[in-house]
Amino acid sequence: EFGYPVDVREEEGKLLVDAELPGFKADEIDIQLDQNMLRIVAERKEPEKKGTQHLHERRYTRVERAFTLPCPVDSSKVQAHLSDGVLHLEMPQTEESRPRKIEIK
């Protein structure tokens, strides 16, 4: 088990997360959001052996990352998609966590 590169950035009231998960399919990735803790686990089973094996380097793999997000997000509106081995998460910030301008009276 080892980590993988992740970028987290804030843009227009959203947190955007890009996680490199090359070779994983969407059904092999588990994303959990518990309050401000984001956990991404990718797990690939060993391929079924057929025929005579001459080289066998692809094995069971599990990678996991968990980290605290810098601000609260609305978990009901999180969107995720996998493209070219990169998992993209778009997480809208809660209204309470967005910066507000305070007017002086």
Side-chain angles (χ1 to χ4, degrees), residues 52-96:
T52 303
Q53 296 283 325
H54 294 283
L55 183 61
H56 183 66
E57 295 179 342
R58 297 177 61 222
R59 303 196 185 282
Y60 165 83
T61 303
R62 176 185 165 92
V63 292
E64 179 176 343
R65 288 288 301 268
F67 47 89
T68 302
L69 297 175
C71 61
V73 296
D74 186 343
S75 61
S76 68
K77 296 181 181 174
V78 173
Q79 295 181 11
H81 72 277
L82 185 64
S83 174
D84 297 325
V86 179
L87 173 67
H88 303 278
L89 298 174
E90 186 175 299
M91 300 178 284
Q93 293 174 289
T94 60
E95 286 296 324
E96 298 80 32

mmCIF file of all heavy atoms in Angstrom, residues 52-96:
data_model
loop_
_atom_site.group_PDB
_atom_site.id
_atom_site.type_symbol
_atom_site.label_atom_id
_atom_site.label_comp_id
_atom_site.label_asym_id
_atom_site.label_seq_id
_atom_site.Cartn_x
_atom_site.Cartn_y
_atom_site.Cartn_z
ATOM 1 N N THR A 52 -0.155 -20.040 -20.444
ATOM 2 C CA THR A 52 1.169 -20.157 -19.836
ATOM 3 C C THR A 52 1.714 -18.771 -19.538
ATOM 4 O O THR A 52 1.794 -17.933 -20.433
ATOM 5 C CB THR A 52 2.128 -20.893 -20.796
ATOM 6 O OG1 THR A 52 1.560 -22.158 -21.111
ATOM 7 C CG2 THR A 52 3.497 -21.090 -20.179
ATOM 8 N N GLN A 53 2.087 -18.524 -18.294
ATOM 9 C CA GLN A 53 2.627 -17.222 -17.890
ATOM 10 C C GLN A 53 4.125 -17.179 -18.194
ATOM 11 O O GLN A 53 4.876 -18.029 -17.740
ATOM 12 C CB GLN A 53 2.413 -17.009 -16.384
ATOM 13 C CG GLN A 53 0.981 -16.932 -15.954
ATOM 14 C CD GLN A 53 0.369 -15.574 -16.284
ATOM 15 O OE1 GLN A 53 1.024 -14.555 -16.225
ATOM 16 N NE2 GLN A 53 -0.896 -15.595 -16.643
ATOM 17 N N HIS A 54 4.560 -16.190 -18.946
ATOM 18 C CA HIS A 54 5.984 -16.001 -19.230
ATOM 19 C C HIS A 54 6.543 -14.834 -18.438
ATOM 20 O O HIS A 54 7.739 -14.798 -18.138
ATOM 21 C CB HIS A 54 6.217 -15.767 -20.727
ATOM 22 C CG HIS A 54 5.883 -16.974 -21.549
ATOM 23 N ND1 HIS A 54 6.708 -18.065 -21.643
ATOM 24 C CD2 HIS A 54 4.797 -17.270 -22.292
ATOM 25 C CE1 HIS A 54 6.158 -18.981 -22.413
ATOM 26 N NE2 HIS A 54 4.982 -18.518 -22.820
ATOM 27 N N LEU A 55 5.702 -13.879 -18.110
ATOM 28 C CA LEU A 55 6.087 -12.727 -17.300
ATOM 29 C C LEU A 55 4.850 -12.331 -16.509
ATOM 30 O O LEU A 55 3.760 -12.221 -17.068
ATOM 31 C CB LEU A 55 6.538 -11.564 -18.203
ATOM 32 C CG LEU A 55 7.041 -10.299 -17.525
ATOM 33 C CD1 LEU A 55 8.273 -10.591 -16.666
ATOM 34 C CD2 LEU A 55 7.376 -9.244 -18.558
ATOM 35 N N HIS A 56 5.007 -12.152 -15.201
ATOM 36 C CA HIS A 56 3.844 -11.862 -14.348
ATOM 37 C C HIS A 56 4.191 -10.736 -13.382
ATOM 38 O O HIS A 56 4.697 -10.975 -12.288
ATOM 39 C CB HIS A 56 3.424 -13.127 -13.591
ATOM 40 C CG HIS A 56 2.203 -12.936 -12.751
ATOM 41 N ND1 HIS A 56 0.963 -12.682 -13.295
ATOM 42 C CD2 HIS A 56 2.032 -12.944 -11.410
ATOM 43 C CE1 HIS A 56 0.075 -12.551 -12.319
ATOM 44 N NE2 HIS A 56 0.707 -12.701 -11.170
ATOM 45 N N GLU A 57 3.946 -9.474 -13.807
ATOM 46 C CA GLU A 57 4.271 -8.322 -12.979
ATOM 47 C C GLU A 57 3.032 -7.610 -12.454
ATOM 48 O O GLU A 57 3.120 -6.876 -11.477
ATOM 49 C CB GLU A 57 5.116 -7.324 -13.773
ATOM 50 C CG GLU A 57 6.458 -7.871 -14.155
ATOM 51 C CD GLU A 57 7.293 -6.902 -14.971
ATOM 52 O OE1 GLU A 57 6.729 -5.946 -15.531
ATOM 53 O OE2 GLU A 57 8.509 -7.121 -15.045
ATOM 54 N N ARG A 58 1.891 -7.784 -13.087
ATOM 55 C CA ARG A 58 0.664 -7.131 -12.655
ATOM 56 C C ARG A 58 0.064 -7.928 -11.510
ATOM 57 O O ARG A 58 -0.299 -9.077 -11.667
ATOM 58 C CB ARG A 58 -0.320 -7.022 -13.816
ATOM 59 C CG ARG A 58 0.211 -6.164 -14.937
ATOM 60 C CD ARG A 58 -0.728 -6.107 -16.105
ATOM 61 N NE ARG A 58 -1.990 -5.521 -15.681
ATOM 62 C CZ ARG A 58 -3.182 -5.985 -16.070
ATOM 63 N NH1 ARG A 58 -3.266 -7.013 -16.870
ATOM 64 N NH2 ARG A 58 -4.279 -5.409 -15.652
ATOM 65 N N ARG A 59 -0.035 -7.313 -10.366
ATOM 66 C CA ARG A 59 -0.507 -8.002 -9.175
ATOM 67 C C ARG A 59 -1.602 -7.206 -8.493
ATOM 68 O O ARG A 59 -1.923 -6.094 -8.885
ATOM 69 C CB ARG A 59 0.644 -8.205 -8.193
ATOM 70 C CG ARG A 59 1.811 -8.967 -8.791
ATOM 71 C CD ARG A 59 2.738 -9.474 -7.709
ATOM 72 N NE ARG A 59 3.915 -10.090 -8.274
ATOM 73 C CZ ARG A 59 3.955 -11.302 -8.793
ATOM 74 N NH1 ARG A 59 2.888 -12.041 -8.844
ATOM 75 N NH2 ARG A 59 5.071 -11.793 -9.279
ATOM 76 N N TYR A 60 -2.124 -7.785 -7.413
ATOM 77 C CA TYR A 60 -3.081 -7.093 -6.567
ATOM 78 C C TYR A 60 -2.468 -5.764 -6.128
ATOM 79 O O TYR A 60 -1.307 -5.702 -5.724
ATOM 80 C CB TYR A 60 -3.398 -7.958 -5.336
ATOM 81 C CG TYR A 60 -4.097 -7.209 -4.233
ATOM 82 C CD1 TYR A 60 -5.472 -7.014 -4.275
ATOM 83 C CD2 TYR A 60 -3.381 -6.684 -3.167
ATOM 84 C CE1 TYR A 60 -6.118 -6.320 -3.264
ATOM 85 C CE2 TYR A 60 -4.021 -5.987 -2.153
ATOM 86 C CZ TYR A 60 -5.387 -5.811 -2.214
ATOM 87 O OH TYR A 60 -6.034 -5.121 -1.227
ATOM 88 N N THR A 61 -3.214 -4.701 -6.241
ATOM 89 C CA THR A 61 -2.731 -3.381 -5.855
ATOM 90 C C THR A 61 -3.815 -2.654 -5.077
ATOM 91 O O THR A 61 -4.982 -2.686 -5.456
ATOM 92 C CB THR A 61 -2.377 -2.541 -7.111
ATOM 93 O OG1 THR A 61 -1.415 -3.225 -7.881
ATOM 94 C CG2 THR A 61 -1.834 -1.189 -6.726
ATOM 95 N N ARG A 62 -3.410 -1.990 -4.007
ATOM 96 C CA ARG A 62 -4.333 -1.155 -3.231
ATOM 97 C C ARG A 62 -3.579 0.119 -2.866
ATOM 98 O O ARG A 62 -2.479 0.066 -2.307
ATOM 99 C CB ARG A 62 -4.787 -1.878 -1.961
ATOM 100 C CG ARG A 62 -5.679 -1.027 -1.061
ATOM 101 C CD ARG A 62 -5.980 -1.767 0.231
ATOM 102 N NE ARG A 62 -6.508 -0.877 1.233
ATOM 103 C CZ ARG A 62 -7.807 -0.643 1.435
ATOM 104 N NH1 ARG A 62 -8.700 -1.264 0.691
ATOM 105 N NH2 ARG A 62 -8.198 0.180 2.363
ATOM 106 N N VAL A 63 -4.165 1.254 -3.213
ATOM 107 C CA VAL A 63 -3.598 2.544 -2.843
ATOM 108 C C VAL A 63 -4.677 3.337 -2.117
ATOM 109 O O VAL A 63 -5.865 3.191 -2.401
ATOM 110 C CB VAL A 63 -3.055 3.327 -4.059
ATOM 111 C CG1 VAL A 63 -1.844 2.648 -4.642
ATOM 112 C CG2 VAL A 63 -4.117 3.516 -5.117
ATOM 113 N N GLU A 64 -4.239 4.141 -1.170
ATOM 114 C CA GLU A 64 -5.203 4.869 -0.350
ATOM 115 C C GLU A 64 -4.619 6.202 0.070
ATOM 116 O O GLU A 64 -3.434 6.305 0.373
ATOM 117 C CB GLU A 64 -5.542 4.045 0.881
ATOM 118 C CG GLU A 64 -6.509 4.706 1.822
ATOM 119 C CD GLU A 64 -6.902 3.807 2.981
ATOM 120 O OE1 GLU A 64 -6.700 2.584 2.902
ATOM 121 O OE2 GLU A 64 -7.405 4.342 3.977
ATOM 122 N N ARG A 65 -5.477 7.223 0.072
ATOM 123 C CA ARG A 65 -5.111 8.532 0.617
ATOM 124 C C ARG A 65 -6.283 9.018 1.443
ATOM 125 O O ARG A 65 -7.435 8.836 1.079
ATOM 126 C CB ARG A 65 -4.862 9.557 -0.491
ATOM 127 C CG ARG A 65 -3.610 9.375 -1.296
ATOM 128 C CD ARG A 65 -2.328 9.708 -0.558
ATOM 129 N NE ARG A 65 -2.228 11.061 -0.060
ATOM 130 C CZ ARG A 65 -1.680 12.079 -0.708
ATOM 131 N NH1 ARG A 65 -1.192 11.909 -1.920
ATOM 132 N NH2 ARG A 65 -1.611 13.269 -0.146
ATOM 133 N N ALA A 66 -5.987 9.679 2.533
ATOM 134 C CA ALA A 66 -7.010 10.304 3.364
ATOM 135 C C ALA A 66 -6.437 11.616 3.870
ATOM 136 O O ALA A 66 -5.293 11.655 4.318
ATOM 137 C CB ALA A 66 -7.402 9.406 4.526
ATOM 138 N N PHE A 67 -7.215 12.672 3.755
ATOM 139 C CA PHE A 67 -6.755 13.956 4.242
ATOM 140 C C PHE A 67 -7.942 14.844 4.576
ATOM 141 O O PHE A 67 -9.052 14.636 4.095
ATOM 142 C CB PHE A 67 -5.811 14.644 3.251
ATOM 143 C CG PHE A 67 -6.296 14.659 1.839
ATOM 144 C CD1 PHE A 67 -7.093 15.695 1.372
ATOM 145 C CD2 PHE A 67 -5.952 13.643 0.969
ATOM 146 C CE1 PHE A 67 -7.540 15.703 0.066
ATOM 147 C CE2 PHE A 67 -6.399 13.646 -0.337
ATOM 148 C CZ PHE A 67 -7.195 14.686 -0.791
ATOM 149 N N THR A 68 -7.667 15.835 5.397
ATOM 150 C CA THR A 68 -8.687 16.783 5.814
ATOM 151 C C THR A 68 -8.773 17.900 4.774
ATOM 152 O O THR A 68 -7.752 18.466 4.379
ATOM 153 C CB THR A 68 -8.340 17.385 7.187
ATOM 154 O OG1 THR A 68 -8.207 16.313 8.122
ATOM 155 C CG2 THR A 68 -9.425 18.336 7.668
ATOM 156 N N LEU A 69 -9.993 18.180 4.342
ATOM 157 C CA LEU A 69 -10.202 19.259 3.385
ATOM 158 C C LEU A 69 -10.045 20.607 4.088
ATOM 159 O O LEU A 69 -10.325 20.729 5.279
ATOM 160 C CB LEU A 69 -11.601 19.144 2.766
ATOM 161 C CG LEU A 69 -11.845 17.871 1.952
ATOM 162 C CD1 LEU A 69 -13.296 17.807 1.500
ATOM 163 C CD2 LEU A 69 -10.914 17.812 0.751
ATOM 164 N N PRO A 70 -9.617 21.636 3.357
ATOM 165 C CA PRO A 70 -9.370 22.927 3.992
ATOM 166 C C PRO A 70 -10.633 23.685 4.407
ATOM 167 O O PRO A 70 -10.543 24.653 5.157
ATOM 168 C CB PRO A 70 -8.603 23.715 2.927
ATOM 169 C CG PRO A 70 -8.946 23.060 1.640
ATOM 170 C CD PRO A 70 -9.219 21.620 1.959
ATOM 171 N N CYS A 71 -11.814 23.250 3.928
ATOM 172 C CA CYS A 71 -13.056 23.918 4.305
ATOM 173 C C CYS A 71 -14.217 22.940 4.113
ATOM 174 O O CYS A 71 -14.092 21.957 3.387
ATOM 175 C CB CYS A 71 -13.273 25.188 3.486
ATOM 176 S SG CYS A 71 -13.409 24.877 1.728
ATOM 177 N N PRO A 72 -15.348 23.197 4.756
ATOM 178 C CA PRO A 72 -16.510 22.309 4.604
ATOM 179 C C PRO A 72 -17.067 22.348 3.180
ATOM 180 O O PRO A 72 -17.066 23.399 2.535
ATOM 181 C CB PRO A 72 -17.535 22.873 5.596
ATOM 182 C CG PRO A 72 -16.753 23.704 6.552
ATOM 183 C CD PRO A 72 -15.586 24.233 5.770
ATOM 184 N N VAL A 73 -17.521 21.181 2.697
ATOM 185 C CA VAL A 73 -18.139 21.090 1.375
ATOM 186 C C VAL A 73 -19.523 20.460 1.510
ATOM 187 O O VAL A 73 -19.820 19.795 2.498
ATOM 188 C CB VAL A 73 -17.273 20.267 0.390
ATOM 189 C CG1 VAL A 73 -15.937 20.949 0.144
ATOM 190 C CG2 VAL A 73 -17.068 18.849 0.862
ATOM 191 N N ASP A 74 -20.344 20.681 0.498
ATOM 192 C CA ASP A 74 -21.690 20.120 0.465
ATOM 193 C C ASP A 74 -21.602 18.714 -0.126
ATOM 194 O O ASP A 74 -21.518 18.553 -1.344
ATOM 195 C CB ASP A 74 -22.603 21.012 -0.372
ATOM 196 C CG ASP A 74 -24.050 20.575 -0.350
ATOM 197 O OD1 ASP A 74 -24.329 19.410 0.035
ATOM 198 O OD2 ASP A 74 -24.912 21.375 -0.730
ATOM 199 N N SER A 75 -21.606 17.692 0.716
ATOM 200 C CA SER A 75 -21.397 16.310 0.262
ATOM 201 C C SER A 75 -22.496 15.830 -0.682
ATOM 202 O O SER A 75 -22.273 14.926 -1.483
ATOM 203 C CB SER A 75 -21.273 15.372 1.452
ATOM 204 O OG SER A 75 -22.455 15.392 2.218
ATOM 205 N N SER A 76 -23.685 16.425 -0.630
ATOM 206 C CA SER A 76 -24.779 15.990 -1.510
ATOM 207 C C SER A 76 -24.583 16.466 -2.946
ATOM 208 O O SER A 76 -25.283 16.004 -3.852
ATOM 209 C CB SER A 76 -26.120 16.494 -0.971
ATOM 210 O OG SER A 76 -26.191 17.904 -1.069
ATOM 211 N N LYS A 77 -23.637 17.380 -3.172
ATOM 212 C CA LYS A 77 -23.434 17.927 -4.520
ATOM 213 C C LYS A 77 -22.061 17.609 -5.105
ATOM 214 O O LYS A 77 -21.658 18.198 -6.101
ATOM 215 C CB LYS A 77 -23.644 19.441 -4.494
ATOM 216 C CG LYS A 77 -25.067 19.829 -4.142
ATOM 217 C CD LYS A 77 -25.240 21.320 -4.155
ATOM 218 C CE LYS A 77 -26.682 21.676 -3.767
ATOM 219 N NZ LYS A 77 -26.848 23.117 -3.629
ATOM 220 N N VAL A 78 -21.338 16.671 -4.498
ATOM 221 C CA VAL A 78 -20.016 16.300 -5.003
ATOM 222 C C VAL A 78 -20.166 15.551 -6.325
ATOM 223 O O VAL A 78 -21.028 14.681 -6.469
ATOM 224 C CB VAL A 78 -19.261 15.427 -3.973
ATOM 225 C CG1 VAL A 78 -17.964 14.896 -4.566
ATOM 226 C CG2 VAL A 78 -18.980 16.217 -2.706
ATOM 227 N N GLN A 79 -19.344 15.912 -7.290
ATOM 228 C CA GLN A 79 -19.328 15.227 -8.587
ATOM 229 C C GLN A 79 -17.952 14.604 -8.793
ATOM 230 O O GLN A 79 -16.937 15.223 -8.461
ATOM 231 C CB GLN A 79 -19.626 16.200 -9.719
ATOM 232 C CG GLN A 79 -21.019 16.776 -9.654
ATOM 233 C CD GLN A 79 -21.297 17.718 -10.813
ATOM 234 O OE1 GLN A 79 -20.541 17.787 -11.775
ATOM 235 N NE2 GLN A 79 -22.389 18.439 -10.719
ATOM 236 N N ALA A 80 -17.932 13.390 -9.349
ATOM 237 C CA ALA A 80 -16.673 12.688 -9.585
ATOM 238 C C ALA A 80 -16.680 12.086 -10.979
ATOM 239 O O ALA A 80 -17.697 11.567 -11.430
ATOM 240 C CB ALA A 80 -16.490 11.584 -8.540
ATOM 241 N N HIS A 81 -15.538 12.169 -11.656
ATOM 242 C CA HIS A 81 -15.381 11.443 -12.910
ATOM 243 C C HIS A 81 -13.916 11.051 -13.090
ATOM 244 O O HIS A 81 -13.018 11.666 -12.523
ATOM 245 C CB HIS A 81 -15.958 12.216 -14.100
ATOM 246 C CG HIS A 81 -15.161 13.420 -14.508
ATOM 247 N ND1 HIS A 81 -15.278 14.638 -13.900
ATOM 248 C CD2 HIS A 81 -14.226 13.580 -15.478
ATOM 249 C CE1 HIS A 81 -14.467 15.503 -14.477
ATOM 250 N NE2 HIS A 81 -13.810 14.889 -15.417
ATOM 251 N N LEU A 82 -13.719 9.997 -13.856
ATOM 252 C CA LEU A 82 -12.392 9.430 -14.089
ATOM 253 C C LEU A 82 -12.062 9.617 -15.559
ATOM 254 O O LEU A 82 -12.852 9.223 -16.429
ATOM 255 C CB LEU A 82 -12.405 7.947 -13.713
ATOM 256 C CG LEU A 82 -11.093 7.188 -13.757
ATOM 257 C CD1 LEU A 82 -10.102 7.743 -12.733
ATOM 258 C CD2 LEU A 82 -11.341 5.707 -13.484
ATOM 259 N N SER A 83 -10.915 10.228 -15.837
ATOM 260 C CA SER A 83 -10.533 10.490 -17.216
ATOM 261 C C SER A 83 -9.020 10.336 -17.365
ATOM 262 O O SER A 83 -8.252 10.991 -16.641
ATOM 263 C CB SER A 83 -10.962 11.913 -17.590
ATOM 264 O OG SER A 83 -10.491 12.270 -18.861
ATOM 265 N N ASP A 84 -8.593 9.486 -18.280
ATOM 266 C CA ASP A 84 -7.169 9.283 -18.567
ATOM 267 C C ASP A 84 -6.341 8.997 -17.312
ATOM 268 O O ASP A 84 -5.243 9.538 -17.137
ATOM 269 C CB ASP A 84 -6.590 10.491 -19.317
ATOM 270 C CG ASP A 84 -7.244 10.705 -20.673
ATOM 271 O OD1 ASP A 84 -7.589 9.703 -21.329
ATOM 272 O OD2 ASP A 84 -7.417 11.872 -21.070
ATOM 273 N N GLY A 85 -6.882 8.175 -16.416
ATOM 274 C CA GLY A 85 -6.149 7.778 -15.225
ATOM 275 C C GLY A 85 -6.126 8.811 -14.108
ATOM 276 O O GLY A 85 -5.394 8.669 -13.142
ATOM 277 N N VAL A 86 -6.937 9.878 -14.250
ATOM 278 C CA VAL A 86 -7.005 10.903 -13.210
ATOM 279 C C VAL A 86 -8.443 11.002 -12.713
ATOM 280 O O VAL A 86 -9.376 11.168 -13.500
ATOM 281 C CB VAL A 86 -6.521 12.278 -13.723
ATOM 282 C CG1 VAL A 86 -6.628 13.336 -12.631
ATOM 283 C CG2 VAL A 86 -5.095 12.194 -14.245
ATOM 284 N N LEU A 87 -8.614 10.880 -11.399
ATOM 285 C CA LEU A 87 -9.915 11.048 -10.770
ATOM 286 C C LEU A 87 -10.097 12.535 -10.489
ATOM 287 O O LEU A 87 -9.241 13.168 -9.872
ATOM 288 C CB LEU A 87 -9.983 10.263 -9.457
ATOM 289 C CG LEU A 87 -11.233 10.472 -8.605
ATOM 290 C CD1 LEU A 87 -12.465 9.909 -9.314
ATOM 291 C CD2 LEU A 87 -11.061 9.837 -7.245
ATOM 292 N N HIS A 88 -11.215 13.094 -10.967
ATOM 293 C CA HIS A 88 -11.524 14.511 -10.768
ATOM 294 C C HIS A 88 -12.737 14.612 -9.843
ATOM 295 O O HIS A 88 -13.771 14.019 -10.124
ATOM 296 C CB HIS A 88 -11.854 15.189 -12.100
ATOM 297 C CG HIS A 88 -10.780 15.073 -13.122
ATOM 298 N ND1 HIS A 88 -9.686 15.911 -13.156
ATOM 299 C CD2 HIS A 88 -10.625 14.207 -14.154
ATOM 300 C CE1 HIS A 88 -8.914 15.565 -14.172
ATOM 301 N NE2 HIS A 88 -9.457 14.536 -14.788
ATOM 302 N N LEU A 89 -12.597 15.356 -8.761
ATOM 303 C CA LEU A 89 -13.707 15.606 -7.843
ATOM 304 C C LEU A 89 -13.988 17.099 -7.826
ATOM 305 O O LEU A 89 -13.064 17.917 -7.737
ATOM 306 C CB LEU A 89 -13.366 15.159 -6.415
ATOM 307 C CG LEU A 89 -13.073 13.683 -6.203
ATOM 308 C CD1 LEU A 89 -12.616 13.448 -4.780
ATOM 309 C CD2 LEU A 89 -14.295 12.866 -6.499
ATOM 310 N N GLU A 90 -15.274 17.426 -7.897
ATOM 311 C CA GLU A 90 -15.704 18.819 -7.785
ATOM 312 C C GLU A 90 -16.630 18.889 -6.588
ATOM 313 O O GLU A 90 -17.672 18.239 -6.568
ATOM 314 C CB GLU A 90 -16.431 19.245 -9.056
ATOM 315 C CG GLU A 90 -16.791 20.702 -9.078
ATOM 316 C CD GLU A 90 -17.410 21.112 -10.401
ATOM 317 O OE1 GLU A 90 -16.733 20.985 -11.441
ATOM 318 O OE2 GLU A 90 -18.573 21.538 -10.376
ATOM 319 N N MET A 91 -16.243 19.673 -5.576
ATOM 320 C CA MET A 91 -16.977 19.704 -4.319
ATOM 321 C C MET A 91 -17.341 21.143 -3.964
ATOM 322 O O MET A 91 -16.468 21.926 -3.571
ATOM 323 C CB MET A 91 -16.122 19.088 -3.211
ATOM 324 C CG MET A 91 -15.756 17.639 -3.498
ATOM 325 S SD MET A 91 -14.699 16.913 -2.244
ATOM 326 C CE MET A 91 -13.153 17.661 -2.648
ATOM 327 N N PRO A 92 -18.623 21.508 -4.101
ATOM 328 C CA PRO A 92 -19.023 22.875 -3.746
ATOM 329 C C PRO A 92 -18.850 23.130 -2.248
ATOM 330 O O PRO A 92 -19.187 22.288 -1.426
ATOM 331 C CB PRO A 92 -20.505 22.926 -4.115
ATOM 332 C CG PRO A 92 -20.747 21.754 -5.004
ATOM 333 C CD PRO A 92 -19.726 20.722 -4.636
ATOM 334 N N GLN A 93 -18.323 24.292 -1.926
ATOM 335 C CA GLN A 93 -18.184 24.673 -0.531
ATOM 336 C C GLN A 93 -19.566 24.992 0.037
ATOM 337 O O GLN A 93 -20.470 25.394 -0.696
ATOM 338 C CB GLN A 93 -17.308 25.920 -0.402
ATOM 339 C CG GLN A 93 -15.875 25.694 -0.789
ATOM 340 C CD GLN A 93 -15.104 26.983 -0.787
ATOM 341 O OE1 GLN A 93 -15.295 27.825 -1.645
ATOM 342 N NE2 GLN A 93 -14.229 27.144 0.187
ATOM 343 N N THR A 94 -19.702 24.805 1.326
ATOM 344 C CA THR A 94 -20.959 25.196 1.969
ATOM 345 C C THR A 94 -21.016 26.723 2.003
ATOM 346 O O THR A 94 -19.986 27.391 1.971
ATOM 347 C CB THR A 94 -21.052 24.649 3.405
ATOM 348 O OG1 THR A 94 -19.970 25.172 4.158
ATOM 349 C CG2 THR A 94 -21.039 23.128 3.437
ATOM 350 N N GLU A 95 -22.227 27.261 2.043
ATOM 351 C CA GLU A 95 -22.393 28.712 2.092
ATOM 352 C C GLU A 95 -21.646 29.316 3.280
ATOM 353 O O GLU A 95 -21.056 30.375 3.168
ATOM 354 C CB GLU A 95 -23.877 29.078 2.174
ATOM 355 C CG GLU A 95 -24.633 28.882 0.867
ATOM 356 C CD GLU A 95 -24.125 29.790 -0.256
ATOM 357 O OE1 GLU A 95 -23.743 30.950 0.011
ATOM 358 O OE2 GLU A 95 -24.101 29.322 -1.407
ATOM 359 N N GLU A 96 -21.666 28.619 4.416
ATOM 360 C CA GLU A 96 -21.022 29.138 5.623
ATOM 361 C C GLU A 96 -19.507 29.251 5.469
ATOM 362 O O GLU A 96 -18.874 30.063 6.125
ATOM 363 C CB GLU A 96 -21.328 28.256 6.842
ATOM 364 C CG GLU A 96 -22.790 28.168 7.214
ATOM 365 C CD GLU A 96 -23.578 27.178 6.342
ATOM 366 O OE1 GLU A 96 -23.014 26.165 5.901
ATOM 367 O OE2 GLU A 96 -24.754 27.451 6.095
#
